[in-house]
Amino acid sequence: MAPEQMAERPEGGNTLPPARPLDAIDQDILQMLQADGRASIRSVAERVHVSRANAYARINRLMEDGVIRGFGARVDHERAGQGTSAYITLKIVQNSWRTVREQLRQLPGADHIALVGGDFDVLLLVHTPDNKALRELVLMRLQAMPEVLSTRTLLVFEEEDLDLEG
């Protein structure tokens, strides 16, 4: 495949092939794996009515194409000792996104980082043990970054993951 046809991975690593359209079986596989990332190839194959070899090949293709980025556990942050959650909005210096993103990745408790359009530039989701740790993170870490012009913290009172099988 020609280099100009390859897309860069978001993490800045290897490149990906161009996105291929997903058929109904691929969509069903994705939905099943999102609900249960530990599902066996056999159970996936039975559920979407294809052979195990076909299910295995499809899952591998979805991974190679970057559609499936990995598998992980859904964590109850409060039970894991990270009982305070907040969305933090950041206004940053123009053209500093890549630098800021790398710094945000290093923050303890950072769970999601997004470059957005609107009244602010970055939306950051963090989980910390308590309000004191959140305060430290915002005042001592985020606001100390020279590329960060301002922050606004939105404390999460209650949250719920949207399960696909619910």
Side-chain angles (χ1 to χ4, degrees), residues 110-127:
D111 191 34
H112 184 85
I113 305 164
L115 178 66
V116 298
D119 293 337
F120 49 88
D121 304 306
V122 178
L123 183 63
L124 171 67
L125 172 61
V126 298
H127 305 285

Side-chain angles (χ1 to χ4, degrees), residues 37 108 162:
L162 300 177

Side-chain angles (χ1 to χ4, degrees), residues 134-159:
L134 176 62
R135 181 181 181 276
E136 281 288 309
L137 183 87
V138 173
L139 297 179
M140 305 307 287
R141 302 285 298 270
L142 290 175
Q143 292 182 356
M145 293 178 189
E147 301 85 1
V148 174
L149 301 173
S150 67
T151 64
R152 179 171 286 166
T153 303
L154 307 165
L155 192 60
V156 175
F157 294 128
E158 187 176 317
E159 62 186 323

Side-chain angles (χ1 to χ4, degrees), residues 94-111:
Q94 188 171 351
N95 297 320
S96 66
W97 162 241
R98 287 181 178 84
T99 303
V100 170
R101 178 181 58 195
E102 291 311 311
Q103 293 176 55
L104 296 177
R105 284 180 174 165
Q106 305 304 315
L107 291 176
D111 191 34

